[in-house]
Amino acid sequence: MARPRRAPARPDDRGRHAAVHLPGLDIDGYSLSVPDPQGDGVIGDRASQTAFRGLVDAAREHHLTAKDPFGRKPSRALKKEHIDLVLVGGGLDASHAMHLAVEEYARQLCYVVQVFMARPEWRGVERIVIGGGFPEHQTGGLAMRRAIRLLELADTGVGLLPLRHDPDEGGLLGWSPLLPQELHGHDAFLAVDIGGTKLRCGIVRHRLRHDPTGGHGQVLESMVWRHKSDRPNREAAVRRMAAMLNGLAAMARTLGLKLAPFVGIACPGTIEPDGSISAGAQNLPGDWERPFHLPDALAAYLEPVGGRAPAVVMHNDAVVQGLSELDRMHDVRRWGVLTIGTGLGNATYTTR
């Protein structure tokens, strides 16, 4: 009797640039770009923090009847905390104007979700994690709650779920499911989250032996550099990143941690399988797109870890931030992430 054929092993891309296949999970795609029929940009721009600042300016211009609590300062120059203060206690007139901006933003976010859900790439998505820094403040949190309610009323069948981590930590913790199997015996690894205004490096204790999704992971220590204020060139940025990582590796030794020879880098843009960035890196300091190769450039300045040169692996920042919520997605087959920043990052996943 012929033996039944064994099903071919599914590919495992952990430890590779721009990984697509993980155990029990496929990363379907990211950075979906849908042209906006009413403008020159893309639909996602309607739900960015930049768009919200525009709505705040419109509310100040058309709905304030008393003195503007922000003076002549444009909304793009306001701190989120200042907008929050006016929203909750800036007087009836000013608070009303801010609530109008929040309500309109929630409607725009709901519209963007519906447009994405109508696309083949997002069809069947049941749950969407909302990340980025915007939901962390009073204004963003209120907008999220309103968008959740609007989607419920529209009977879209999709739910929004705020990122439970600090978004900066999510961009580090999400590397745990991407760590190669052979490195799971180490206590921790190094990770980097690069944004348009700041860069964060951290020591991640993954605890993958307790939870293979990384849900028990923890950022033990991190360092932040607001590179937008310093305006470095590319070489200076790479050297500064390497210095931060080498310092964290020294700290890991001091803490008695067995550190894996691995560095995961999450950054904006389209990440190619060779680790280069082919598009979308315009907010980073200098020209980071290919033929420049960040993993090689950074590795040249990194000190050995446990006697080995650390592998430097790249992926898109929205993908990584979404993976930090993997442990909460066991009950859905298809899910996605939206990261609200200067633009709107996005990614989708399928649980096998």
Side-chain angles (χ1 to χ4, degrees):
M1 180 182 295
R3 293 182 179 179
R5 290 185 178 181
R6 181 178 297 177
R10 291 185 177 272
D12 182 354
D13 292 340
R14 288 177 296 179
R16 299 178 182 174
H17 304 298
V20 173
H21 304 292
L22 309 181
L25 182 77
D26 291 329
I27 301 168
D28 300 323
Y30 61 91
S31 297
L32 176 64
S33 180
V34 181
D36 190 337
Q38 299 181 10
D40 297 329
V42 296
I43 285 292
D45 291 341
R46 297 192 185 192
S48 66
Q49 288 199 54
T50 304
F52 175 72
R53 298 303 178 112
L55 294 172
V56 169
D57 275 333
R60 292 165 66 187
E61 180 179 356
H62 300 295
H63 298 288
L64 276 178
T65 58
K67 182 179 178 181
D68 190 330
F70 303 120
R72 296 183 179 181
K73 184 177 290 188
S75 295
R76 66 177 181 275
L78 299 174
K79 292 185 177 180
K80 296 173 188 176
E81 294 83 357
H82 294 164
I83 298 176
D84 286 349
L85 286 173
V86 172
L87 178 78
V88 300
L92 184 61
D93 187 60
S95 182
H96 170 66
M98 293 304 98
H99 277 279
L100 288 173
V102 167
E103 182 70 16
E104 181 56 29
Y105 176 83
R107 292 181 182 278
Q108 291 298 326
L109 176 58
C110 185
Y111 173 70
V112 169
V113 169
Q114 290 174 304
V115 170
F116 275 29
M117 292 292 295
R119 299 281 298 190
E121 300 93 329
W122 277 66
R123 198 162 294 147
V125 167
E126 303 168 65
R127 187 176 299 156
I128 300 173
V129 175
I130 302 294
F134 186 60
E136 296 295 300
H137 294 263
Q138 290 277 353
T139 307
L142 178 59
M144 293 306 102
R145 293 191 291 275
R146 286 296 300 142
I148 290 169
R149 180 57 178 155
L150 291 171
L151 286 169
E152 289 174 350
L153 293 173
D155 195 24
T156 59
V158 65
L160 299 185
L161 185 71
L163 190 78
R164 74 179 186 274
H165 307 289
D166 178 285
D168 293 322
E169 292 198 351
L172 305 176
L173 292 168
W175 273 102
S176 292
L178 294 164
L179 189 69
Q181 176 73 37
E182 62 269 20
L183 298 180
H184 287 192
H186 294 73
D187 299 322
F189 62 90
L190 299 176
V192 184
D193 184 32
I194 306 174
T197 60
K198 61 185 176 181
L199 181 155
R200 182 183 295 267
C201 301
I203 304 171
V204 178
R205 175 181 281 164
H206 54 79
R207 292 175 173 162
L208 290 167
R209 285 167 288 186
H210 301 283
D211 182 354
T213 68
H216 286 76
Q218 179 186 9
V219 177
L220 296 178
E221 189 56 71
S222 65
M223 297 180 180
V224 180
W225 174 37
R226 298 187 180 277
H227 61 75
K228 189 175 182 179
S229 302
D230 294 345
R231 298 181 179 180
N233 60 29
R234 188 175 70 192
E235 176 68 14
V238 172
R239 286 178 176 269
R240 177 70 174 266
M241 194 188 319
M244 294 166 70
L245 290 167
N246 288 332
L248 288 168
M251 181 178 293
R253 290 198 299 271
T254 302
L255 296 174
L257 295 171
K258 183 182 179 183
L259 192 66
F262 179 90
V263 178
I265 302 179
C267 72
T270 302
I271 312 302
E272 298 297 329
D274 67 354
S276 63
I277 306 173
S278 58
Q282 59 271 14
N283 290 327
L284 302 179
D287 183 3
W288 292 52
E289 294 181 8
R290 58 184 180 189
F292 176 67
H293 193 268
L294 176 59
D296 286 349
L298 181 64
Y301 297 110
L302 294 179
E303 297 177 1
V305 173
R308 293 172 55 186
V312 181
V313 180
M314 296 270 289
H315 216 317
N316 174 266
D317 56 346
V319 170
V320 176
Q321 196 166 128
L323 287 174
S324 72
E325 296 287 339
L326 181 57
D327 63 310
R328 293 205 287 174
M329 300 299 158
H330 291 301
D331 58 333
V332 292
R333 182 173 182 272
R334 293 211 72 211
W335 53 285
V337 62
L338 297 175
T339 55
I340 303 173
T342 305
L344 186 76
N346 63 82
T348 52
Y349 315 81
T350 297
T351 303
R352 295 195 305 267

